[in-house]
Amino acid sequence: MPVLTARALLLDMDGTLVNSDVVVERIWRRWAGAHGLDGDEVMKVVHGRQGYASMAVLLPDRPVHLNHADNARMLAEETADLDGVVPVPGAPEFLASLRGVPHALVTSADVPLSTARMTAAGLPLPDVRVTAESVGASKPDPEGFLKGAAELGIAPADCVVFEDSGAGIAAGRAAGMRVVGVGPRAAAHGPDVVVRDLRGVRVAADGSGVRIHVA
């Protein structure tokens, strides 16, 4: 069983703590159809990024203001559509084990969406949250993770990221952090270790920091 040591944990939301795939599929495949794009190819891009950043990859010649307008509309749709949003297996127990451990939510969702999805999944929101409103650049830019570490007062090298997507894993690595990949999407993107879900993680705090046991 690999063991990572850290002083703080930085947690992605969608795909890591919350399984919202059915909603993401519904909304993004509808968007793909409206723009004449292949839905399967679109789904390879959208996980982990803010919507406008995904659109910039998928439609590189499209005016930026149209991407931001679509992004705002789709965030509202996602916030209202919570059918099928559930916790990733082991997420409730994992978050409960972090009481007293420095940790932050670092998500590409905005405040309304992250609050709605965590609530729908029955999960507590961490006290420290870095959301879409907090950053100027979407994952895979490391800004969000660096801000999370700064808000916790912990050096990036002493943080461990939990992520499911290629964009998120790249962001964690660019921030100089180790990454635990969660779920089937993660393995292809080179995290330090991979777990099927959060039932494979045990966190133990002591006077010197946190020990993360990964099965």
Side-chain angles (χ1 to χ4, degrees), residues 36 78 87 182 194 215:
E78 291 185 84
V182 180
V194 182

Side-chain angles (χ1 to χ4, degrees), residues 61-142:
D61 297 325
R62 190 180 194 224
V64 172
H65 74 276
L66 295 180
N67 293 341
H68 281 278
D70 267 7
N71 186 50
R73 176 180 55 78
M74 291 169 74
L75 280 172
E77 290 179 8
E78 291 185 84
T79 303
D81 184 356
L82 300 173
D83 186 20
V85 173
V86 296
V88 166
E93 296 81 5
F94 173 71
L95 287 173
S97 75
L98 300 186
R99 294 191 186 101
V101 173
H103 65 285
L105 187 72
V106 181
T107 176
S108 294
D110 62 6
V111 168
L113 179 57
S114 58
T115 302
R117 283 188 176 162
M118 291 287 283
T119 300
L123 299 175
L125 280 160
D127 291 337
V128 177
R129 300 185 288 276
V130 178
T131 60
E133 297 95 336
S134 309
V135 298
S138 172
K139 299 172 185 176
D141 190 281

